[in-house]
Amino acid sequence: MTSRRLRAFKRWMASQGIQYSDALEFTDSCGDGIAVKALCDLREGDVVATIPKLACLTVKTSSACPIIEEAGLGGYLGLSVALMYERSLGENSNWAGYLQLLPDKELLPLLWSLEDVDQFLCGTELHKTVKEDKTLMFEDWKENIVPLMMSAPLMFSPEFFGVEQYFSVRSLISSRSFEIDDFHGFGMVPLADLFNHKTNAEDVHFTLVSSDVESDNSTSGLNDVHPYDDESKCWNSPPDKEEPDSLLTELNNACDTDSSSSELGGDPTTLEMIMVKNVKAGNEVFNTYGLLGNAALLHRYGFTEADNPYDIVNIDLKLVTDWSSSRFSRRYSRVRVSLWRKLEYCGCGNEDTEYFEISYDGEPQTELLILIYIMLLPEVAFNHFDMTTSVSGNYSGVMLYQKGNTIWVEDSKLTRDVLLTKDVRRALVSLADMRESLYGSRCLEKDVEMVCSVQDRKLYHSWMLCESERMILKKLRAYAAVAGQSSRTGRPSSLRKHR
């Protein structure tokens, strides 16, 4: 039986011109929230929904648009003000039927207390990021929202525009917003955010036909920024009330009607949701929010996935220099890093947060192997190498000397097998140990069934993130242990130079 809030939402969609296929069924459960299922077989290419752009909640469509634009607020900040303002209007908002369906907030790490962030995320990829996010967003609120409340307290009351309310809407925008087009920018797209995420299992996708009326720069494709940054042929308006046999009626209509998508699509002012895969009757219809690891999923959307093939672990450059400095000296480490940079190599990120990625299968980024190799070069070989490159000015085809053997650093000649000496492999194990030590005294092993039964989402998903990262570090150690045997395969590895 359809819940009251879903019935209200369906009536609101009908009033806004949002259409969806009768082959879609919306379910609402206390534990799992709202999901979308197929009442009958859906086929690739079926258009299952059209959503007018004017039904989307954006800065441009909000009744607070003039004030937001006059204040120069755009992007997520402008959308936050629009969402808070429409919430403050209650039933008078044009989006009242949609807003009543949304939760007050999503339980993202952004909304956790600092104590919980330190307790649950210590050592993970998110620990530092979430704390920085909280600081920056508080500054955004103080610098941009507080002046609005002071200038027009009746319109922007603390009840709806306080710091807690700002963080709450930011969590909704992070987990549910889409980039619509250049004119509208980011926005909340009703119906689109009902489809749940599943990695590598996208069933439905959004497309957008550009509109010359709205903007000369409108895009022709809709970029998913949501998860909730990436979501039959028969059509009926959503019913105003539910009939006892409505489920059977919808199923019969969905399977018997043969309306073509071309009859209802093609409007440049609307968004289309198109099936990209066949889905059998009774199965849930999934969107995908992108090829994201668990750190990104938890950060943006508040959940994790078991055995996520896009998981990674980062090893900071500082951790590498700390390892080197513990063996040699800080000056020694700085000189070796300097030569590595002369060769035009670098890690990911920027100078403030430079790091190396360890992939899901435990394979380290090649730039890390090169840096460790240079760190471990004997002094005579290193000095000769440094002098040769400095005099010639040739950093694209330089030579490394070790024990009298000359190795040309060229993409076509250097393989991982050359870099993975016994000392380099030992260094990888040491770095894995140092990286894992950042988790502190948290239990290394837990009963999976016990954790899965815990209702505390923070505990469960932080545990999932921590364990997925530990597993990658375990694979890194295994990679280092067997790397010396890989020469039998003769598998080359390209060296990516960042110029």
Side-chain angles (χ1 to χ4, degrees):
M1 183 175 179
T2 306
S3 66
R4 177 181 297 179
R5 64 174 187 160
L6 269 177
R7 291 196 295 271
F9 178 59
K10 288 181 178 180
R11 291 193 294 270
W12 178 82
M13 285 196 293
S15 71
Q16 300 298 312
I18 297 175
Q19 293 182 303
Y20 63 90
S21 171
D22 288 339
L24 298 181
E25 176 189 17
F26 305 102
T27 63
D28 189 0
S29 64
C30 295
D32 300 325
I34 296 174
V36 183
K37 294 185 178 181
L39 281 171
C40 66
D41 291 351
L42 296 172
R43 298 184 296 275
E44 180 181 350
D46 287 348
V47 179
V48 293
T50 58
I51 305 168
K53 293 181 184 178
L54 291 179
C56 301
L57 175 50
T58 69
V59 170
K60 294 292 186 182
T61 59
S62 170
S63 50
C65 178
I67 300 175
I68 296 173
E69 292 189 336
E70 183 179 355
L73 305 180
Y76 288 128
L77 186 59
L79 181 57
S80 297
V81 175
L83 182 52
M84 287 188 289
Y85 183 76
E86 295 301 331
R87 277 185 155 184
S88 73
L89 297 179
E91 292 298 321
N92 294 323
S93 170
N94 290 334
W95 288 270
Y98 166 62
L99 295 178
Q100 59 86 33
L101 193 67
L102 297 181
D104 178 60
K105 59 189 176 184
E106 295 288 354
L107 195 59
L108 308 187
L110 172 66
L111 272 62
W112 299 3
S113 68
L114 286 174
E115 292 76 14
D116 284 346
V117 171
D118 287 336
Q119 178 183 354
F120 295 120
L121 298 179
C122 181
T124 69
E125 298 298 329
L126 287 188
H127 192 198
K128 181 180 178 181
T129 299
V130 171
K131 297 180 82 167
E132 290 175 346
D133 285 349
K134 292 174 76 70
T135 299
L136 291 174
M137 288 189 189
F138 178 79
E139 292 175 354
D140 281 343
W141 173 80
K142 187 176 180 180
E143 293 175 6
N144 298 283
I145 310 300
V146 171
L148 286 178
M149 291 192 291
M150 295 178 64
S151 63
L154 295 180
M155 181 177 293
F156 302 103
S157 70
E159 179 184 358
F160 296 100
F161 292 86
V163 66
E164 290 185 10
Q165 288 72 25
Y166 177 66
F167 271 65
S168 294
V169 297
R170 281 300 297 260
S171 72
L172 293 176
I173 290 170
S174 173
S175 61
R176 292 175 176 266
S177 67
F178 296 83
E179 185 179 1
I180 297 173
D181 59 26
D182 290 342
F183 178 77
H184 287 281
F186 294 100
M188 309 297 286
V189 184
L191 178 61
D193 54 9
L194 299 187
F195 291 83
N196 290 320
H197 164 88
K198 193 173 184 181
T199 297
N200 285 336
E202 183 180 33
D203 299 318
V204 64
H205 194 71
F206 293 87
T207 59
L208 141 70
V209 182
S210 62
S211 169
D212 294 332
V213 176
E214 292 181 353
S215 170
D216 293 335
N217 297 321
S218 295
T219 59
S220 59
L222 184 64
N223 296 320
D224 294 339
V225 182
H226 108 308
Y228 295 50
D229 181 75
D230 248 86
E231 307 197 14
S232 98
K233 292 185 177 180
C234 43
W235 300 81
N236 280 325
S237 297
D240 287 341
K241 61 182 180 179
E242 296 292 322
E243 298 297 335
D245 60 346
S246 61
L247 183 62
L248 180 60
T249 301
E250 286 184 21
L251 179 58
N252 290 336
N253 289 341
C255 297
D256 293 339
T257 308
D258 190 29
S259 303
S260 67
S261 60
S262 60
E263 295 174 0
L264 294 155
D267 186 345
T269 65
T270 64
L271 311 174
E272 293 182 340
M273 300 171 62
I274 301 177
M275 298 299 298
V276 295
K277 185 189 301 180
N278 295 337
V279 175
K280 293 290 185 181
N283 291 340
E284 183 171 355
V285 182
F286 287 103
N287 181 21
T288 187
Y289 310 149
L291 307 179
L292 304 174
N294 278 334
L297 286 176
L298 183 57
H299 184 219
R300 302 180 193 178
Y301 310 125
F303 65 88
T304 57
E305 289 185 319
D307 300 319
N308 188 333
Y310 299 101
D311 270 339
I312 60 171
V313 168
N314 295 332
I315 292 182
D316 290 346
L317 174 61
K318 184 179 183 305
L319 197 69
V320 181
T321 55
D322 286 346
W323 161 81
S324 174
S325 299
S326 68
R327 290 172 53 93
F328 307 105
S329 69
R330 292 203 173 276
R331 181 183 180 283
Y332 175 101
S333 301
R334 287 196 301 269
V335 170
R336 300 290 171 124
V337 171
S338 176
L339 177 58
W340 177 72
R341 293 200 186 282
K342 285 181 182 179
L343 298 175
E344 301 178 358
Y345 291 108
C346 63
C348 302
N350 52 53
E351 291 184 1
D352 294 329
T353 56
E354 194 169 356
Y355 58 88
F356 305 96
E357 292 183 353
I358 310 299
S359 67
Y360 177 75
D361 60 5
E363 187 168 323
Q365 190 172 331
T366 304
E367 287 81 356
L368 173 59
L369 297 181
I370 296 173
L371 177 57
I372 297 173
Y373 189 92
I374 292 175
M375 290 282 194
L376 294 172
L377 274 177
E379 195 70 22
V380 173
F382 175 83
N383 290 335
H384 189 102
F385 175 48
D386 188 23
M387 182 180 64
T388 302
T389 55
S390 298
V391 172
S392 66
N394 179 14
Y395 302 120
S396 60
V398 296
M399 295 180 290
L400 294 180
Y401 289 86
Q402 186 174 24
K403 295 182 180 179
N405 296 323
T406 301
I407 302 170
W408 290 90
V409 184
E410 291 182 300
D411 290 358
S412 60
K413 296 194 176 185
L414 184 60
T415 68
R416 281 177 176 258
D417 298 329
V418 172
L419 294 170
L420 286 163
T421 65
K422 181 183 294 185
D423 287 340
V424 170
R425 290 187 282 119
R426 286 175 177 169
L428 289 175
V429 173
S430 296
L431 288 172
D433 293 341
M434 292 176 66
R435 178 63 180 79
E436 188 158 15
S437 70
L438 299 179
Y439 297 111
S441 59
R442 299 176 64 180
C443 295
L444 296 180
E445 299 292 341
K446 288 190 178 182
D447 188 308
V448 176
E449 293 183 1
M450 180 199 73
V451 173
C452 290
S453 67
V454 172
Q455 296 300 313
D456 190 334
R457 288 180 57 190
K458 287 184 287 188
L459 175 60
Y460 172 71
H461 291 298
S462 64
W463 179 86
M464 284 285 291
L465 174 61
C466 184
E467 288 305 297
S468 65
E469 291 183 4
R470 290 185 191 279
M471 183 57 64
I472 293 175
L473 293 174
K474 182 178 180 179
K475 292 177 181 178
L476 174 60
R477 295 187 187 95
Y479 174 89
V482 302
Q485 305 172 15
S486 62
S487 58
R488 301 171 186 172
T489 65
R491 182 172 63 90
S493 174
S494 62
L495 296 183
R496 298 166 295 157
K497 288 196 176 183
H498 300 263
R499 303 183 187 278

